[in-house]
Amino acid sequence: MSSYNEENESKFMRKAKENPFVPLGMAGFFAIVGYRLLRMKHRGDTKMSVHLIHMRVAAQGFVVGAMTVGVLYSMYKDYIVKPNEEQKALQKK
């Protein structure tokens, strides 16, 4: 069972290195949810359902933003950095 956990941890670390914005999105999601749950005491006259909807929208917005930035970063690496490196390698030959 220990090797199974190590395999999953190494898989997570590999995925995190390939897509660094995924852990950032997860961390932001949990930070926003935690913050909004702590602020629930001080919501004033706002209904509970409205407060929870705002919390969900903020958390989802952060995750979608992190995913968008991650996709843009991946496209930048694949279509701008990689071809430039290939051109430099061809010029050196």
Side-chain angles (χ1 to χ4, degrees):
M1 187 176 239
S2 177
S3 64
Y4 178 74
N5 288 338
E6 290 174 6
E7 182 180 308
N8 284 339
E9 288 177 14
S10 64
K11 185 177 179 181
F12 177 75
M13 292 305 291
R14 182 174 41 88
K15 292 285 187 181
K17 286 179 184 175
E18 291 173 4
N19 300 315
F21 291 96
V22 171
L24 178 68
M26 291 170 55
F29 174 82
F30 289 117
I32 289 171
V33 169
Y35 174 75
R36 296 294 289 200
L37 286 175
L38 289 174
R39 296 286 302 163
M40 195 176 295
K41 294 180 198 173
H42 309 291
R43 69 180 190 271
D45 294 337
T46 307
K47 289 183 179 179
M48 172 74 84
S49 61
V50 173
H51 183 78
L52 292 175
I53 289 171
H54 288 169
M55 177 177 60
R56 181 185 64 98
V57 168
Q60 283 181 331
F62 187 88
V63 170
V64 168
M67 288 173 53
T68 302
V69 171
V71 167
L72 292 173
Y73 176 72
S74 176
M75 289 174 62
Y76 170 76
K77 284 194 323 187
D78 291 344
Y79 295 112
I80 295 176
V81 174
K82 195 173 182 180
N84 287 342
E85 291 174 356
E86 290 173 356
Q87 282 181 349
K88 288 179 184 178
L90 288 175
Q91 289 176 354
K92 287 183 181 180
K93 289 184 178 181

